[in-house]
Amino acid sequence: MAVMYSFCRYFSVRLGTILVAVSSMIQSLILGAIFLVWLNNAGQMTEDIEDWRTANNLIYTTELFEHIQYNTEGYLKSAIVFIMFHFCTCMLLVYAALECNIPLTWPFLVTEFVRLAIFLFAHFTAMMLVKENILDLGLLIALSISGGFLLLGLFYCWFCVVSLCQCLRELRAQQKLGSAQVNLLINEFRHLAKTTAVSRQQFSPVNPSWRLQAAHSNYGNLAWPTY
């Protein structure tokens, strides 16, 4: 059973998958542009991270930000490569949805799941840092709710692609079942026809003791009755 059979109540999961792929491509373009700008200003970004580390309590992310500070360009380049790969999987997803090809959706599902896991970790970490360094309960609640709804929407889009795979499998299973039933009926019909032919062969043909004159000389001198 599929997770959903319609996307946003009005669209099919196939069309929803195409919309998800297009929106994900737009997200990848925006994130790629942001990371390219950061890569061009990697030196300034390293200094900003150092100032931010000394001015705030980073709790369990201290070692992570320290490693990012000393290898900023490497992290940014890795992120750009991942974004480019994610963009390619989005293009492949559009083709997979149009052709109803399940295996071609797997790269997007894996890549998007990794991206959502990163977003979830980043959101949780950001909320913890806000709680530790900014004593503003209203801001914390607003950021938590907005980030939670954003993640909920992204997971909903991911499950739309999963539902497309499930729906295609259900349809193909029904087609196989229908084909099996048709083949069963054909085999039964052939068996019945064969049995009928055998039963007819058990009776000897009629050998009439009388003969009729042919209606026309071209058809021969004798005409046998048809049975």
Side-chain angles (χ1 to χ4, degrees), residues 97-115:
L98 293 175
E99 296 294 329
C100 296
N101 193 321
I102 296 177
L104 293 181
T105 62
W106 295 343
F108 175 83
L109 290 174
V110 175
T111 309
E112 183 68 9
F113 184 79
V114 173
R115 192 176 75 125

Side-chain angles (χ1 to χ4, degrees), residues 205-212 222-225:
V206 178
N207 294 320
S209 59
W210 49 271
R211 295 182 178 181
L212 298 177
L222 300 176
W224 295 87

Side-chain angles (χ1 to χ4, degrees), residues 123-140:
H123 175 67
F124 179 78
T125 302
M127 295 304 99
M128 293 297 295
L129 294 176
V130 170
K131 179 183 177 182
E132 291 292 331
N133 299 281
I134 302 177
L135 301 178
D136 190 347
L137 184 60
L139 178 62
L140 179 62

Side-chain angles (χ1 to χ4, degrees), residues 213-227:
Q213 293 293 330
H216 197 275
S217 60
N218 293 334
Y219 292 96
N221 296 325
L222 300 176
W224 295 87
T226 304
Y227 62 94

Side-chain angles (χ1 to χ4, degrees), residues 21-22 25 85-97 108:
V22 174
M25 283 191 287
F85 180 75
H86 180 263
F87 184 84
C88 294
T89 59
C90 294
M91 297 178 62
L92 189 63
L93 180 63
V94 174
Y95 179 78
F108 175 83

Side-chain angles (χ1 to χ4, degrees), residues 10-25:
Y10 299 104
F11 305 105
S12 64
V13 290
R14 186 184 182 190
L15 179 58
T17 299
I18 297 175
L19 295 176
V20 169
V22 174
S23 63
S24 298
M25 283 191 287

